Amino acid sequence: KNYSKLPKSILNELLSDATAQLDLESMKLFLDLGASKKVMQSKLDIALVEAINASLETLVEIDESPEGDLLKKVEFLLQLGANPNYKIPKKEFQNYIYQVQPFSALRLLVFSISDSRKTNTNREQELEIAKLLLQYGADAKCALKFAEKRYGKYNRNGALDFGQQLINLIASKIDD
């Protein structure tokens, strides 16, 4: 398709739709053609959380895609300005106690520690995603508090399984 002749308003709509669907190639294309970043800004934050959540729920995205696909999505969304501390609104959790829910991207990764279906590839990629989120300013204190509520008080010298690696990484950002 030849999108270059489309008016900017149409390009903006296409960019908004591509963002909602996490279609990175189309997002890049429409941005390159002059679509406004502003139209997608409101969708970036939720797209970041949804990308991580979808991969944690299904494992399909990580297992059946080229290694690093989710990492590339997360990095691209953060580069475009997605907020690493975006919180899913309380109303989404209805009757659940909000403070014990994985309502942000980093808390979703912490939540996944207890998922026994994960492969080493999944775990390594999740650690890289956590590093990236922290690099972009994700709230380490909030994630560590969440981890302690779910898995007990943080022990710097715990057995070095995936969960401990992730929690050590988060705690190291608090110590900095």
Side-chain angles (χ1 to χ4, degrees):
K1 296 179 182 179
N2 187 358
Y3 294 107
S4 61
K5 297 182 183 188
L6 292 174
K8 191 169 184 173
S9 61
I10 300 295
L11 287 173
N12 287 343
E13 286 181 38
L14 291 169
L15 176 60
S16 181
D17 291 345
T19 304
Q21 296 172 19
L22 283 172
D23 181 350
L24 298 190
E25 287 182 36
S26 295
M27 290 168 67
K28 289 176 186 175
L29 171 69
F30 299 133
L31 285 168
D32 289 345
L33 291 172
S36 173
K37 230 191 219 189
K38 290 179 185 177
V39 300
M40 62 190 258
Q41 207 62 46
S42 65
K43 294 183 180 186
L44 282 177
D45 299 337
I46 191 67
L48 176 67
V49 172
E50 286 179 354
I52 293 172
N53 191 43
S55 70
L56 296 179
E57 284 181 1
T58 64
L59 300 179
V60 170
E61 189 135 9
I62 296 175
D63 289 340
E64 294 180 5
S65 65
E67 180 138 3
D69 185 58
L70 179 61
L71 180 62
K72 288 177 186 171
K73 279 184 183 179
V74 169
E75 184 170 28
F76 183 69
L77 292 168
L78 288 167
Q79 287 171 348
L80 288 173
N83 178 359
N85 292 309
Y86 171 78
K87 294 180 180 178
I88 300 169
K90 287 182 183 184
K91 66 183 178 189
E92 299 291 322
F93 293 103
Q94 298 172 359
N95 298 327
Y96 300 100
I97 299 169
Y98 188 66
Q99 293 305 316
V100 295
Q101 298 303 313
F103 56 65
S104 69
L106 193 55
R107 285 172 67 117
L108 279 166
L109 291 174
V110 169
F111 186 76
S112 80
I113 287 173
S114 58
D115 189 338
S116 61
R117 301 174 299 161
K118 299 290 177 149
T119 65
N120 285 338
T121 302
N122 298 125
R123 298 297 191 194
E124 289 167 18
Q125 186 167 320
E126 288 175 15
L127 282 172
E128 291 304 311
I129 291 168
K131 287 178 189 174
L132 194 56
L133 290 167
L134 289 164
Q135 176 186 331
Y136 276 83
D139 186 348
K141 286 182 183 179
C142 181
L144 185 59
K145 270 177 67 174
F146 180 67
E148 288 180 339
K149 282 182 182 174
R150 285 190 59 82
Y151 308 110
K153 190 75 177 144
Y154 170 61
N155 175 2
R156 185 179 305 275
N157 300 314
L160 204 54
D161 59 6
F162 165 76
Q164 189 66 35
Q165 289 176 0
L166 179 61
I167 294 169
N168 284 349
L169 174 66
I170 293 167
S172 73
K173 294 302 175 184
I174 296 170
D175 296 337
D176 287 350

